[in-house]
Amino acid sequence: MITPAILKLARAIVEHEGWSPQNSSRNVQSQPSVSYRNHNGGNLRASPFALGTRDGFAFFVDDSTGFFALVWDLWKKCNGQTSTGLTGDSTLKDLIEKYAPPSENNTNEYIHAVVLNTGFPAFKPLKEFEALIPELKTLS
């Protein structure tokens, strides 16, 4: 089940990956970011929902499809249904270390940004992302 916690995590990843148009207040690049051009806010390398790859990353028909692909990918990882070796007992830190390896990213900065943006602890087990966020349960 896609939960508010998984959506919150996906939004934090998109924010950190730099999904933004050219010359937005968050992006001072002369061109739109790769994630923006590819409608791939999470900078996924591959996805069954992608049209193909470009610049080494999957590209999607539109932003909604790209965001859905990220949410679906996170859900699969939280359930241990990928080849990454992650399980429900893996942590948010483990997920980010797989998702954004130190060979390609400042992984510690990435973890810090996601923790800061979501309020989730780095050692939160992925299986807990399947539970509704307690403060959101009262809203339904």
Side-chain angles (χ1 to χ4, degrees):
M1 176 171 141
I2 304 300
T3 63
I6 292 174
L7 291 172
K8 191 173 188 179
L9 176 58
R11 285 188 208 99
I13 287 172
V14 167
E15 175 75 22
H16 189 74
E17 287 291 340
W19 184 92
S20 61
Q22 178 180 352
N23 299 324
S24 73
S25 61
R26 302 219 32 128
N27 182 8
V28 293
Q29 300 176 25
S30 61
Q31 303 178 30
S33 66
V34 171
S35 63
Y36 188 82
R37 285 193 315 267
N38 289 342
H39 303 289
N40 182 355
N43 271 337
L44 297 171
R45 297 264 182 204
S47 170
F49 308 106
L51 296 174
T53 58
R54 181 171 47 210
D55 304 317
F57 298 95
F59 69 92
F60 299 93
V61 66
D62 57 28
D63 297 333
S64 296
T65 305
F67 187 75
F68 171 80
L70 172 61
V71 170
W72 183 82
D73 184 71
L74 292 171
W75 177 79
K76 298 286 274 183
K77 284 178 169 67
C78 287
N79 287 288
Q81 297 179 13
T82 67
S83 60
T84 61
L86 295 170
T87 69
D89 292 322
S90 301
T91 65
L92 176 58
K93 180 182 181 294
D94 297 331
L95 180 138
I96 294 172
E97 287 172 343
K98 288 280 186 185
Y99 189 86
S103 61
E104 299 174 11
N105 299 272
N106 181 337
T107 305
N108 288 331
E109 179 183 296
Y110 204 124
I111 293 166
H112 178 73
V114 170
V115 165
L116 190 65
N117 210 337
T118 62
F120 299 143
F123 294 99
K124 179 182 181 81
L126 297 180
K127 64 186 170 195
E128 291 183 14
F129 284 88
E130 286 294 295
L132 290 175
I133 300 171
E135 58 270 20
L136 292 179
K137 281 184 181 179
T138 60
L139 298 177
S140 52

